[in-house]
Amino acid sequence: QVQLVESGGGLVQAGGSLRLSCASSGGTFRLYALGWFRQALGKYPEIVAAVSGSGAWTNYADSVKGRFTISRDNAENTVSLQMNSLNPEDTSVYYCAAKLNRRLGVRATEYDYWGQGTQVTVSS
């Protein structure tokens, strides 16, 4: 059984930065591809960034390219999302997710385990 716990969310002014972290327990972390999703109320989750099991491959939503960076540390069983140049449109609940396959995935339906989410609010 895999458990994921996000941290690092909060309130920040437009133009600021936040770093989200996700700690994993259970399972074999290095075998899982990982993704960060965000979900607004009444909408389906949308991919923000994803990384393959080894960290060799990454994918970013067009809206965050050049501003966000995903990284993983397989020795510590963690994945992080560095968010720079934040704007109010980035406000959402952010979720860490894992899929039981090392290959990169961008669809929420591909992921098997989800964290509880962490709130990110960007004020103008």
Side-chain angles (χ1 to χ4, degrees):
Q1 186 74 23
V2 175
Q3 293 184 324
L4 304 169
V5 180
E6 303 95 334
S7 63
L11 175 65
V12 65
Q13 292 185 335
S17 298
L18 283 173
R19 184 177 180 87
L20 306 183
S21 295
C22 175
S24 174
S25 62
T28 306
F29 183 79
R30 63 180 175 83
L31 300 181
Y32 309 146
L34 300 165
W36 284 97
F37 293 81
R38 61 189 182 189
Q39 183 177 26
L41 287 175
K43 296 185 177 181
Y44 290 103
E46 66 171 347
I47 188 70
V48 176
V51 61
S52 62
S54 68
W57 301 95
T58 59
N59 183 272
Y60 296 92
D62 288 341
S63 61
V64 307
K65 286 181 179 177
R67 299 190 297 124
F68 292 9
T69 303
I70 188 171
S71 60
R72 67 187 296 161
D73 186 339
N74 286 346
E76 297 293 332
N77 291 357
T78 59
V79 60
S80 298
L81 184 70
Q82 178 66 46
M83 305 185 294
N84 299 325
S85 301
L86 287 162
N87 58 64
E89 288 70 37
D90 296 315
T91 295
S92 188
V93 177
Y94 284 72
Y95 295 90
C96 174
K99 63 194 295 285
L100 299 179
N101 192 298
R102 298 177 64 183
R103 297 178 65 87
L104 192 77
V106 298
R107 295 177 294 182
T109 53
E110 297 180 63
Y111 287 78
D112 303 289
Y113 299 97
W114 294 78
Q116 83 289 347
T118 185
Q119 177 70 47
V120 172
T121 303
V122 184
S123 62
S124 59

